[in-house]
Amino acid sequence: MSKKALVIIALSISISFVSCNKPATEVKEVKTAYVDTSVLMKEYTEAKDLEAKYKAKTEEKGRQLEAEINRFKQEAASFQAQAQANGQAWAQQKGAELQKREQQLGAAQQQLAQELQQESGKEMDSLVSGVKKFIKNYGKEKGYSYIYGTGDAASILYAEDKYDITKEIIKELNDKYKSATPKEEAKK
């Protein structure tokens, strides 16, 4: 064996010996936890309120459109009965009008769905962003090195239940939301 090889072996042994004998004070505990995001979004009051808001908006605007659709259906039904009595020229003209109106109603339905989806999407993105920010601050305050997310978009394949802080996060978010709600309504 060459002198160079012996020096390298001796050096690697001394380095491994030194790294294995680090004092316990240098080893920092890594505190981790996880949040089940699907449970969080189901039980977070603000998310439930947002969902209810858009469900009500959809029903309200849907009723208005549904009334127009029902009127159209009645006209279409009476058209078939009147077509024979009023002749082919009338039937062609009225049929074209009904077809145009049917297309307009279909377009109105699509536009309404898109508007509601965009509006709710913006609010939901804002809500999710706020929850992420809250969890980040919560983690810093509580001394966590990592807080993982699990649920619909799982990033954890396994975790012990004792590391689940979902209920704590939900409680604190709901408390924060409840305390902010009266102030928000007073501004309106």
Side-chain angles (χ1 to χ4, degrees), residues 35-39 41-42 149-155:
V35 175
D36 187 331
T37 54
S38 59
V39 171
M41 296 311 279
K42 285 177 191 168
T150 184
D152 293 335
S155 56

Side-chain angles (χ1 to χ4, degrees), residues 148-159:
Y148 301 98
T150 184
D152 293 335
S155 56
I156 295 178
L157 298 176
Y158 170 77

Side-chain angles (χ1 to χ4, degrees), residues 42-181:
K42 285 177 191 168
E43 295 184 20
Y44 179 28
T45 305
E46 186 175 3
K48 288 189 229 178
D49 288 352
L50 189 61
E51 185 180 336
K53 172 185 172 182
Y54 281 98
K55 185 177 180 181
K57 267 189 172 184
T58 300
E59 289 172 0
E60 177 189 329
K61 292 187 178 197
R63 276 193 298 273
Q64 295 166 356
L65 196 55
E66 191 66 35
E68 287 184 50
I69 290 170
N70 286 335
R71 281 192 297 275
F72 168 78
K73 287 178 181 178
Q74 289 172 349
E75 277 186 52
S78 70
F79 161 76
Q80 291 176 349
Q82 294 174 351
Q84 289 180 342
N86 292 331
Q88 188 174 356
W90 179 88
Q92 285 178 337
Q93 181 185 353
K94 187 69 173 174
E97 288 174 18
L98 287 172
Q99 189 175 19
K100 184 178 177 182
R101 194 150 162 241
E102 182 179 27
Q103 289 172 344
Q104 289 172 337
L105 287 171
Q109 277 182 310
Q110 278 186 314
Q111 183 180 354
L112 175 64
Q114 284 178 331
E115 285 173 7
L116 288 171
Q117 188 176 15
Q118 286 176 343
E119 196 178 320
S120 69
K122 285 179 186 176
E123 285 195 56
M124 187 55 79
D125 287 349
S126 176
L127 179 119
V128 168
S129 176
V131 167
K132 286 180 179 179
K133 188 176 179 181
F134 179 86
I135 291 173
K136 182 178 180 178
N137 290 333
Y138 181 91
K140 285 179 181 177
E141 286 176 22
K142 303 291 182 176
Y144 285 99
S145 299
Y146 299 96
I147 296 180
Y148 301 98
T150 184
D152 293 335
S155 56
I156 295 178
L157 298 176
Y158 170 77
E160 291 181 37
D161 289 342
K162 68 182 179 181
Y163 298 116
D164 185 356
I165 60 169
T166 306
K167 288 180 180 164
E168 294 168 42
I169 295 292
I170 291 168
K171 182 189 178 322
E172 292 208 18
L173 277 169
N174 284 338
D175 290 348
K176 180 181 172 198
Y177 177 64
K178 284 177 193 169
S179 68
T181 303

